[in-house]
Amino acid sequence: MHAVAEPALQQQVRVLYGEHHGWLHAWLRRRLGCADHAADLAHDTYLRVLVSGRTPPPGQARPHLMQIAKGLVIDRHRRQLVEQAYLDAIAAQPAALAPSPEVRAIALQALLRIDAMLDALAPAVREVFLLSQFDGLTYAEIAVRQGIAPATVRKYMLKALQACFLALDGGADG
């Protein structure tokens, strides 16, 4: 980014924050029912604006902030669902098999990356992947069920598996 543009962007975000933070925090607090979570997501909303390098036009500030905040609320809810499903699965295991807190944290991060990867896949690719991996269907069975060619099933599976490897490999570096 251009060195002169950075202070201008920071100033624009500061003005945006000053004019709309109270409203955004109140909106998130009503939506989440928790002032602390609302404060976290309001902060993350302004961080996303700053990282994007663009501020909305003056008349579009609230709709823009609300759109970002809604996405963050959805992401938070999805993370909670994944985490709860994982914790439920652990609770169903004998105590002797319970993973350490460190292993649980690593597994949960991997699950969250896989969930985000699945969400980013095209719907047809995601459906083929889930039918194969969770329903145990063969490529031929998936082709018949989905009304597509077996070669298309193979192509979709390749896309999904590449996305899985990238999601998990990307987490190893960070």
Side-chain angles (χ1 to χ4, degrees), residues 74-137:
I74 290 167
D75 290 348
R76 182 178 183 281
H77 180 68
R78 286 181 63 132
R79 276 193 309 275
Q80 287 176 324
L81 291 175
V82 169
E83 184 173 5
Q84 190 57 54
Y86 177 63
L87 293 175
D88 291 347
I90 290 173
Q93 298 290 324
L97 298 178
S100 70
E102 180 181 343
V103 169
R104 285 199 320 228
I106 291 167
L108 183 58
Q109 288 305 310
L111 288 170
L112 291 171
R113 285 192 304 273
I114 291 169
D115 179 62
M117 176 277 305
L118 287 170
D119 190 50
L121 289 176
V125 174
R126 180 175 48 248
E127 183 66 19
V128 164
F129 179 76
L130 294 175
L131 288 171
S132 170
Q133 299 301 303
F134 293 105
D135 292 352
L137 299 181

